[in-house]
Amino acid sequence: WFLAWMGLEINTMAIIPLMAQQHHPRATEATTKYFLTQATAAAMILFASTMNAWTMGDWNINQISHPLATTTVTLALALKIGLAPMHFWLPEVLQGLNLTTGLVLSTWQKLAPFALILQISQNTNPALLTTLGVTSALVGGWGGLNQTQLRKLLAYSSIAHLGWMIIILQFMPALTLLNLTIYITMTSTMFLSLKIMASTKINSLALAWPKTPTLTTLIMLSLLSLGGLPPLTGFMPKWLILQELAKQDLPITATIMAMSALLSLFFYLR
């Protein structure tokens, strides 16, 4: 756990200069918010693992067994990747960054906490994971409804997708990994396309069609894929997750997740 904590701290420290490279008050504010949340989460992880070592005498990540320690670690990792209800920093931070750093924040920065969540998922309280998943999917759908800023929209999309990944974690970790891979691919497509077009607002996308029809088509397809519209790739993980939830006798959870996907789809279609 100690090495994992060090890795997460180095990860945080390494992206700080990237975020603060534009000497703009908004970038500085985003960097500060990010640093504070990540430092808090890392401190919680260190605290929980020390507590587990104290009570159970074990520093091994797979062997974390004290209920309070597992809950604290899960919440800390949720804060690290921005799962609702610990998501408040993510839209603000992403809005203050340029598109390249935003891409790193939305994809690469999720990998380390996710590796840890995957390893402790079997020992974690299932109700906690389900709550985090459902809340994130709903917040990701509702939060993005009245946004005109594309970066905030992508932040809420990230929260919703993370919710889908967390909800299925305890039943089929392989599906979580599939969802993460597809999410990273689609988000990278999205950020890089927006970077080429240098657009950060919805109304600048509206003017893009005469200039770059091919790229605009690509952006439209990747947005719909992020929303999970069949027959596009983004539909596959959602479909498989709903199927697995139904198999696990969780019809209400599956219904809520499907409804929250409709909320998300509305603002992607817009």
Side-chain angles (χ1 to χ4, degrees):
W1 269 116
F2 185 66
L3 286 172
W5 169 78
M6 277 172 58
L8 290 170
E9 285 288 42
I10 292 168
N11 186 4
T12 303
M13 296 311 283
I15 197 177
I16 293 289
L18 284 176
M19 296 169 83
Q21 62 185 346
Q22 306 164 297
H23 297 296
H24 188 281
R26 201 171 282 158
T28 316
E29 185 189 353
T31 312
T32 313
K33 281 179 181 167
Y34 183 75
F35 175 74
L36 289 174
T37 46
Q38 299 297 309
T40 310
M44 278 169 73
I45 288 170
L46 191 60
F47 168 65
S49 47
T50 312
M51 187 165 61
N52 190 63
W54 195 323
T55 47
M56 301 296 178
D58 207 338
W59 277 101
N60 195 331
I61 291 182
N62 298 325
Q63 304 296 331
I64 187 164
S65 47
H66 193 277
L68 189 58
T70 41
T71 306
T72 313
V73 165
T74 312
L75 289 174
L77 290 167
L79 176 62
K80 249 192 180 322
I81 53 177
L83 279 167
M86 281 81 75
H87 66 283
F88 292 100
W89 60 273
L90 185 60
E92 302 297 323
V93 168
L94 208 57
Q95 183 57 37
L97 305 177
N98 63 9
L99 289 164
T100 322
T101 320
L103 168 66
V104 176
L105 185 69
S106 304
T107 55
W108 179 255
Q109 292 298 100
K110 305 256 186 275
L111 295 180
F114 243 99
L116 291 173
I117 291 181
L118 270 169
Q119 289 179 66
I120 64 163
S121 61
Q122 298 314 313
N123 303 333
T124 313
N125 178 2
L128 177 66
L129 286 179
T130 310
T131 312
L132 285 171
V134 171
T135 322
S136 298
L138 288 170
V139 164
W142 256 306
L145 286 181
N146 55 356
Q147 298 298 337
T148 54
Q149 298 284 350
L150 291 170
R151 283 168 295 186
K152 274 198 176 162
L153 220 133
L154 284 164
Y156 282 109
S157 126
S158 159
I159 296 167
H161 278 273
L162 291 171
W164 280 88
M165 290 174 219
I166 291 293
I167 197 92
I168 201 63
L169 188 54
Q170 51 202 331
F171 309 120
M172 273 190 85
L175 261 186
T176 300
L177 284 174
L178 171 77
N179 201 337
L180 184 64
T181 316
I182 289 177
Y183 163 75
I184 285 180
T185 316
M186 294 188 302
T187 307
S188 308
T189 312
M190 212 48 232
F191 270 103
L192 294 170
S193 313
L194 292 175
K195 184 172 182 278
I196 295 172
M197 290 170 64
S199 55
T200 56
K201 290 194 183 67
I202 287 185
N203 54 9
S204 62
L205 273 187
L207 308 170
W209 177 251
K211 290 185 281 188
T212 49
T214 324
L215 194 56
T216 316
T217 313
L218 179 72
I219 286 188
M220 188 187 79
L221 284 172
S222 31
L223 269 173
L224 292 181
S225 183
L226 268 171
L229 201 68
L232 299 161
T233 321
F235 173 60
M236 178 179 60
K238 286 194 166 70
W239 185 31
L240 292 169
I241 287 173
L242 287 174
Q243 184 191 358
E244 186 61 33
L245 284 174
K247 272 187 200 163
Q248 297 288 346
D249 260 357
L250 294 168
I252 299 170
T253 313
T255 312
I256 297 174
M257 293 302 282
M259 292 302 181
S260 72
L262 285 177
L263 279 172
S264 297
L265 193 58
F266 172 74
F267 67 77
Y268 291 122
L269 282 168
R270 200 185 62 185

